Amino acid sequence: MNFRKRTAHCGELRPSDAGRTVVLNGWVNARRDYGSIVFIDLRDREGVTQVVLDATDNPELAANLKDVRSEWVLWVEGAVRMRENPNPKIPTGLVEIVVRDAGVINRSEVPPFEIVDDLQTNEELRLQYRYLDLRRPTIQQKLLMRSRLASVTREYFSAEGFAEVETPVLTRSTPEGARDYLVPSRVNKGRFYALPQSPQLFKQLLMVSGFDRYMQIVKVFRDEDLRADRQPEFTQIDIEMSFVEQSDIMAMTERYVQHVWKRLLDIDLDLGFRQVTFADAMNTYGSDKPDLRYGLPIVDVTDYAASSSFVVFKSAADAGHVVKALRIPDAASFSRKQIDELTDLAKTHGAGGLPYLKLVQGEVSGSFSKNLPPDEATTLLSACSAADGDLVLFAVGEWERACTILGALRIEAARRLDLVSKTTTPYSMLWITEFPLLEHDPEEQRWVARHHPFTSPMTEDLHLLESNPGAIRARAYDLVMNGYEAAGGSVRIHDSTVQQRMFDLIGMSVEEANAKFGFLLKALKYGAPPHGGIAFGFDRLAMVLAGTNNIRDVIAFPKTTSGLSLMDGCPSDVDDKQLAELGIALRQ
RNA sequence: GGGAUUGUAGCUCAGUUUGGUUAGAGCGCCGCCCUGUCACGGCGGAGGUCGCGGGUUCGAGUCCCGUCGGUCCCGCCA
């Protein structure tokens, strides 16, 4: 196929180029045919340029291009000239190309959906024809932003003395954490590799080796159910540092984020991101990843509940549970239906119901106002700082449960009141610190690591290691951006004895620990430096930067919520021959 | 594993509540016309396994059962 190569792309021509003869290559974005004059909008990654073909000047060429339709690929040669009727909507709108010669490089079938930014098509079809979906400028911009993020990241960490070291993708399956994706070994039949959930152990071993500062942009895999912000394979910016403590890692991370925001968004972020302890975050926002672009704090009213006439509150307080309240300003106008929807939401998070009070022109109403003497209602509402026109929602129960319920309602209320669009702080950055080291798994009847079992306990809580494990706080920290857990890390245990005690605590025998993590325990005995690190969810970071709340928008070829790839149809069946080579028989 | 919601023309959706003639609209597509459009315009036209399978019924897009996808959420995700 003959075509003339471009001398300009479709987004660059301006009035100063008038008079130049250029060649463009691109896709037909739109065609407007007037018979003796035809306009063709030619599109490439950089933009759109209008091309004019005058049939009276060039009848032969016009006849050749008569069939041209959307998404055909053309080359076009002609002079740049000022437009009679400029189009202020596009950057090249002041100029156009008068075609002198042109040709069809490739034809296109009629696409299943139009290649436009404000596409209404369902995601199923878009994913099936992902290569067409990716022609849309909005998606391209997001992926180009992701590309720049990767460049800026490497540039920053390289300048800070970090070495990028690759770690294996075929690794050992380990207990704890997410389900592993397994890869059968042909050479060693009946045995399996696991795809890494993170390069955690390898980066710690690199610290033992003395690499001192490591970072890697790396794919990791977790075989768990998906969400709007979760894919089975995703990318981490994995970071580890030696001879540091928590504050050093957090400070380094903040400087990186500041650098990224400056370079990619030209926004100046102040260092010293807000820090909130896990306990405070749960108490005040009902979440360990609160979105602080808006307020809506939760208050504790357990003290008032203890002497309440409302039996639900009273008995909760007597049982050692808590009563929490969420005041939603100007929401007393919520209808019965809207309250029912909020109640359903509360129930999905484990609430029995949703007690609420409304204050309208001094009158108290609500689901339990009849069970509450007026003076008690007044006291309770003032404890919640409720003003006229407010709605107050209550959650009753075990501490973390009650907090979580109101945390979910807080997000929903913000959505309904459209608080995010009204914010004066478009980016909310905060650290969550002092996570519990362990949590109790009622199913397995044992303690499990909340972060991972290599996380160091806070020094001042070490004495609780055997007496009160649930109260131990970890030297762990999450960086939360606009309500997303963007990064998480910890200072690691660098002492093999402490590491062994940790394994004991989560019910792992010495034998098992040695079998599964013996290489780490051994390595820690050969002069391990104090070390710690953090890992960013690269996709989530790209999401926040690109201003989307769908992780699939920043992944070129994502999977659906059931883990399918609709374009190539994986996962797929494999031949019996392949299974036989691997020594695998499928069971029904 | 569970819940909610969704699937009708190439696309977006209406029609399903209360089963009943030939399943509609906008956009797109095809043909003709048009010299300044850029959401071009005008005239005409084609296009449907109502996701799939089974059932109830004289009759199913509509009711019932099952199933396969999409989206969101709970559990899960160190």
Side-chain angles (χ1 to χ4, degrees):
Chain A
M1 179 73 70
N2 266 337
F3 73 99
R4 227 166 287 173
K5 286 188 202 169
R6 65 184 164 206
T7 58
H9 59 67
C10 297
E12 76 174 85
L13 298 174
R14 296 290 183 276
S16 57
D17 297 298
R20 272 178 67 195
T21 293
V22 297
V23 179
L24 300 181
N25 296 160
W27 286 263
V28 175
N29 198 50
R31 173 176 167 276
R32 294 175 292 279
D33 185 349
Y34 287 78
S36 44
I37 187 168
V38 181
F39 299 98
I40 292 171
D41 291 341
L42 209 59
R43 180 192 69 237
D44 66 15
R45 198 179 95 178
E46 307 299 330
V48 173
T49 300
Q50 173 166 290
V51 169
V52 195
L53 173 59
D54 194 324
T56 45
D57 291 352
N58 209 336
E60 199 175 321
L61 185 60
N64 284 342
L65 298 180
K66 186 72 182 162
D67 294 340
V68 165
R69 291 294 181 272
S70 289
E71 301 311 316
W72 287 31
V73 187
L74 306 184
W75 66 266
V76 166
E77 185 200 74
V80 181
R81 81 172 172 204
M82 300 301 289
R83 286 204 199 183
E84 281 176 38
N85 304 311
N87 180 358
K89 291 179 198 163
I90 57 174
T92 62
L94 291 174
V95 298
E96 64 190 5
I97 308 294
V98 196
V99 182
R100 187 165 73 199
D101 200 1
V104 174
I105 299 173
N106 211 343
R107 302 161 80 97
S108 170
E109 291 190 9
V110 177
F113 48 83
E114 290 177 77
I115 312 302
V116 292
D117 275 347
D118 55 346
L119 187 67
Q120 298 296 314
T121 301
N122 74 65
E123 209 169 344
E124 198 171 347
L125 195 74
R126 288 172 46 202
L127 289 175
Q128 217 172 329
Y129 293 91
R130 187 61 166 173
Y131 40 87
L132 297 181
D133 195 28
L134 294 178
R135 269 187 202 167
R136 296 164 53 222
T138 44
I139 297 268
Q140 288 198 347
Q141 290 316 310
K142 291 184 177 77
L143 288 175
L144 293 171
M145 169 71 91
R146 183 186 170 115
S147 168
R148 287 197 297 277
L149 174 61
S151 303
V152 166
T153 299
R154 288 211 166 84
E155 184 186 282
Y156 174 83
F157 283 104
S158 174
E160 291 284 338
F162 285 73
E164 183 158 10
V165 181
E166 289 173 279
T167 51
V169 172
L170 298 176
T171 67
R172 182 193 173 96
S173 178
T174 54
E176 303 291 310
R179 268 182 218 97
D180 287 322
Y181 277 100
L182 295 176
V183 180
S185 166
R186 178 184 58 82
V187 179
N188 303 283
K189 284 193 182 47
R191 292 201 276 169
F192 294 82
Y193 302 98
L195 303 181
Q197 299 172 27
S198 100
Q200 182 60 39
L201 295 173
F202 293 103
K203 68 175 173 177
Q204 289 191 239
L205 295 174
L206 287 169
M207 294 304 105
V208 175
S209 302
F211 274 89
D212 206 286
R213 292 183 155 207
Y214 144 94
M215 89 97 203
Q216 184 183 195
I217 298 180
V218 61
K219 266 289 179 74
V220 299
F221 308 84
R222 293 177 191 176
D223 186 8
E224 296 294 345
D225 291 349
L226 307 178
R227 288 287 189 281
D229 63 347
R230 261 163 39 189
Q231 284 275 305
E233 55 174 309
F234 60 101
T235 305
Q236 286 190 338
I237 306 169
D238 197 42
I239 295 157
E240 197 77 6
M241 304 164 78
S242 290
F243 305 109
V244 291
E245 48 196 342
Q246 180 166 331
S247 57
D248 299 309
I249 299 162
M250 290 165 71
M252 165 64 70
T253 302
E254 289 189 13
R255 289 198 301 276
Y256 161 67
V257 172
Q258 185 188 49
H259 182 74
V260 167
W261 253 250
K262 183 62 185 172
R263 289 289 304 276
L264 298 187
L265 300 176
D266 197 25
I267 288 176
D268 293 300
L269 292 180
D270 291 331
L271 293 181
F273 296 169
R274 186 169 163 192
Q275 297 186 22
V276 179
T277 65
F278 170 80
D280 286 347
M282 291 304 294
N283 272 319
T284 313
Y285 304 108
S287 169
D288 62 357
K289 46 182 165 63
D291 189 340
L292 295 197
R293 285 176 296 177
Y294 50 87
L296 292 183
I298 294 166
V299 293
D300 192 295
V301 292
T302 312
D303 287 348
Y304 299 88
S307 56
S308 177
S309 310
F310 183 37
V311 66
V312 174
F313 283 5
K314 178 81 169 78
S315 53
D318 290 348
H321 285 170
V322 300
V323 180
K324 297 271 179 182
L326 175 69
R327 177 180 79 95
I328 310 177
D330 304 318
S333 57
F334 277 15
S335 66
R336 181 58 202 244
K337 180 166 173 272
Q338 287 173 299
I339 303 259
D340 284 348
E341 286 166 359
L342 295 177
T343 306
D344 287 344
L345 177 64
K347 285 178 178 170
T348 67
H349 290 269
L354 183 61
Y356 67 93
L357 292 177
K358 286 176 172 181
L359 185 60
V360 179
Q361 293 176 341
E363 290 286 312
V364 178
S365 61
S367 61
F368 63 102
S369 54
K370 291 187 198 71
N371 311 57
L372 215 57
D375 58 319
E376 267 190 51
T378 309
T379 313
L380 184 58
L381 284 173
S382 73
C384 304
S385 317
D388 210 60
D390 289 354
L391 169 70
V392 183
L393 307 176
F394 296 88
V396 175
E398 178 270 324
W399 175 72
E400 196 164 340
R401 172 67 49 208
C403 292
T404 305
I405 291 163
L406 289 188
L409 290 167
R410 175 178 172 269
I411 292 169
E412 179 60 19
R415 197 185 64 78
R416 292 188 178 214
L417 299 174
D418 203 19
L419 295 184
V420 165
S421 72
K422 296 172 185 162
T423 188
T424 52
T425 48
Y427 295 100
S428 139
M429 309 285 182
L430 84 150
W431 291 102
I432 304 293
T433 60
E434 299 183 25
F435 281 90
L437 182 71
L438 302 162
E439 59 192 348
H440 200 258
D441 184 334
E443 266 178 43
E444 295 192 41
Q445 290 283 314
R446 67 177 182 101
W447 293 101
V448 294
R450 187 156 186 139
H451 187 53
H452 57 53
F454 318 107
T455 301
S456 173
M458 281 173 62
T459 321
E460 50 268 58
D461 290 351
L462 268 174
H463 65 284
L464 299 166
L465 213 52
E466 274 81 22
S467 62
N468 188 4
I472 306 170
R473 290 163 299 168
R475 290 206 261 174
Y477 34 83
D478 280 358
L479 178 60
V480 178
M481 294 182 180
N482 292 0
Y484 291 104
E485 184 195 326
S490 63
V491 172
R492 327 298 182 187
I493 298 168
H494 67 279
D495 180 302
S496 65
T497 316
V498 176
Q499 185 63 68
Q500 186 61 62
R501 279 172 81 191
M502 182 70 186
F503 285 140
D504 286 348
L505 210 53
I506 60 173
M508 193 180 288
S509 68
V510 176
E511 294 73 29
E512 192 182 356
N514 274 320
K516 302 284 169 61
F517 298 113
F519 61 105
L520 175 72
L521 289 169
K522 199 188 282 182
L524 293 180
K525 291 176 183 168
Y526 287 95
H531 62 285
I534 193 166
F536 274 87
F538 184 79
D539 314 83
R540 285 186 188 162
L541 191 56
M543 258 169 80
V544 173
L545 287 163
T548 175
N549 50 22
N550 181 346
I551 201 166
R552 295 180 295 274
D553 283 351
V554 293
I555 296 176
F557 300 102
K559 297 191 171 47
T560 66
T561 42
S562 60
L564 305 179
S565 169
L566 298 179
M567 191 187 66
D568 62 6
C570 78
S572 65
D573 295 331
V574 294
D575 292 341
D576 281 343
K577 190 182 163 205
Q578 287 176 282
L579 290 177
E581 276 186 337
L582 297 166
I584 290 177
L586 297 178
R587 53 196 232 185
Q588 293 308 310

